[in-house]
Amino acid sequence: MLLLSGDVLYGDVLIRTIGNREVEVENFRGIINYDETKLILQGKHQLVIISGECLVILCYIDNMIRLQGTICDIEFRM
């Protein structure tokens, strides 16, 4: 029997953080808005809102983004 993880099965967003200095997000559909204090991503089922200071996109490939800065908050909205 093949077991699939929740992100594959349900299309969930994957988020990895390194302290409050870096965040990597995978499996999202697109960037809604970006500036130095906020990044808003469209997931399959919700928005992902990352707030902070001096936010800089380090890498953006397909459906993966890596963000650096002082991360203050990660929020999910339907």
Side-chain angles (χ1 to χ4, degrees):
M1 175 198 254
L2 178 63
L3 296 176
L4 298 174
S5 62
D7 62 305
V8 173
L9 192 59
Y10 302 112
D12 290 337
V13 174
L14 293 173
I15 299 176
R16 290 182 203 86
T17 62
I18 299 173
N20 71 332
R21 304 297 281 155
E22 194 171 309
V23 64
E24 184 176 294
V25 183
E26 292 183 51
N27 204 23
F28 63 94
R29 293 189 172 183
I31 297 174
I32 303 278
N33 191 30
Y34 165 71
D35 63 35
E36 64 184 23
T37 62
K38 189 176 287 187
L39 172 66
I40 303 174
L41 301 171
Q42 177 65 59
K44 183 175 181 181
H45 304 289
Q46 72 275 332
L47 294 177
V48 178
I49 303 163
I50 301 168
S51 302
E53 299 172 2
C54 303
L55 301 179
V56 176
I57 295 174
L58 296 177
C59 179
Y60 176 41
I61 302 170
D62 295 326
N63 66 347
M64 187 279 292
I65 193 165
R66 181 174 290 151
L67 189 69
Q68 185 178 51
T70 304
I71 311 298
C72 297
D73 188 50
I74 300 175
E75 178 183 352
F76 299 91
R77 286 192 194 161
M78 296 302 215

